[in-house]
Amino acid sequence: MKKLEEKIEYTFKDKCLLTQALTHSSYANEKQGGIKCNERLEFLGDAVISIVSAQYLYESFPDMPEGDLSKLRSSLVCTRSLSDFARQIDLGSYMLLGKGELNTGGRDRDSILEDAFEALTAAIYLDGGMECAKKHVLRFLSEAVNTHHINFKDYKTTLQEVIQKNPDQSITYVVSGESGPDHNKRFEVEVHLNSNVIGKGVGKSKKQAEQEAAKEALSLMGI
């Protein structure tokens, strides 16, 4: 725990918050005995990251239209981005995971790392307030923006432009599945070219899943 605190440059007053942030539901379910997992913290952390990133982009890009700000923020706080932030501090090594998750590579799974980063952010927020949480998030976010580490491409628009070259073809996005509790939904989306599935995507929102589906479709097209 001390090593992790050194990495994130924050020392917890309430160590229990840090422990909870690192406790995956698989571990809590195995141990039982009232151990709290990080799902509720993850819910709160998602909101904290959202407001911090929105304010940062609003102030950093005063001339950027609302639509572009939304696309940029979506790219910065997507699963791939947040899991990369978690890897920068080796967060997976500190996670408390059940045996099943441990045996199937849970320490390096994007979804688990994303959730852990969100939970850690919430724990810092509860322990030290918004300024501490903001400093933690911006440490990763500002570097990602400044180095263009994140791909800000709007895959749906690009795919639409490609398909429009053939007037007799059209694309539609279909939700093929939903999972998870209301506060942490996972959406599965297929993108159809006429009646054929040309890409699939998963995300925390339908829009994110659609972007991932369009991205896969473009990749399969070699674009």
Side-chain angles (χ1 to χ4, degrees):
M1 295 296 185
K2 187 176 180 181
K3 285 184 178 180
L4 180 57
E5 287 179 326
E6 290 173 357
K7 287 183 178 180
I8 63 176
E9 299 178 4
Y10 180 81
T11 301
F12 279 84
K13 296 182 285 290
D14 183 356
K15 305 297 184 185
C16 291
L17 279 171
L18 177 55
T19 300
Q20 185 180 345
L22 300 172
T23 302
H24 189 256
S25 57
S26 62
Y27 182 89
N29 291 336
E30 278 187 12
K31 297 299 180 181
Q32 299 180 348
I35 294 177
K36 293 182 178 180
C37 71
N38 64 6
E39 288 180 349
R40 282 172 54 84
L41 285 176
E42 171 204 336
F43 163 72
L44 178 59
D46 179 64
V48 173
I49 292 170
S50 181
I51 187 63
V52 169
S53 59
Q55 181 183 358
Y56 176 74
L57 295 177
Y58 178 84
E59 294 174 350
S60 299
F61 302 98
D63 299 321
M64 184 177 286
E66 179 272 338
D68 291 340
L69 285 172
S70 295
K71 293 172 186 175
L72 185 52
R73 184 177 63 171
S74 294
S75 296
L76 285 167
V77 298
C78 69
T79 298
R80 177 175 296 178
S81 303
L82 295 184
S83 61
D84 281 348
F85 296 165
R87 288 187 180 93
Q88 289 178 36
I89 53 175
D90 196 23
L91 194 56
S93 295
Y94 302 93
M95 291 292 297
L96 298 173
L97 301 171
K99 292 179 180 178
E101 292 293 349
L102 281 173
N103 293 334
T104 55
R107 290 199 188 281
D108 195 46
R109 184 169 297 126
D110 284 352
S111 59
I112 289 179
L113 291 175
E114 173 196 15
D115 294 346
F117 187 84
E118 290 173 339
L120 178 61
T121 300
I124 293 173
Y125 167 72
L126 292 174
D127 192 71
M130 179 56 88
E131 283 306 309
C132 291
K134 183 177 179 180
K135 180 181 178 182
H136 167 69
V137 174
L138 291 184
R139 182 179 161 209
F140 301 92
L141 200 65
S142 59
E143 182 181 349
V145 172
N146 292 335
T147 62
H148 294 243
H149 177 64
I150 308 300
N151 189 339
F152 304 132
K153 191 173 182 179
D154 183 351
Y155 296 105
K156 285 182 66 178
T157 298
T158 302
L159 181 60
Q160 186 66 42
E161 290 171 351
V162 171
I163 300 303
Q164 283 176 344
K165 294 177 182 179
N166 299 297
D168 59 328
Q169 295 183 332
S170 63
I171 57 173
T172 54
Y173 293 87
V174 179
V175 177
S176 58
E178 294 182 23
S179 61
D182 289 341
H183 72 272
N184 186 29
K185 283 284 189 182
R186 296 277 196 231
F187 294 91
E188 298 174 20
V189 167
E190 296 176 347
V191 56
H192 293 198
L193 176 59
N194 296 332
S195 59
N196 300 315
V197 178
I198 59 172
K200 297 180 180 180
V202 178
K204 283 193 164 186
S205 67
K206 292 178 183 177
K207 288 184 178 180
Q208 183 183 345
E210 288 172 356
Q211 284 285 351
E212 292 297 324
K215 180 182 178 181
E216 181 176 271
L218 289 167
S219 177
L220 293 173
M221 293 177 182
I223 299 174

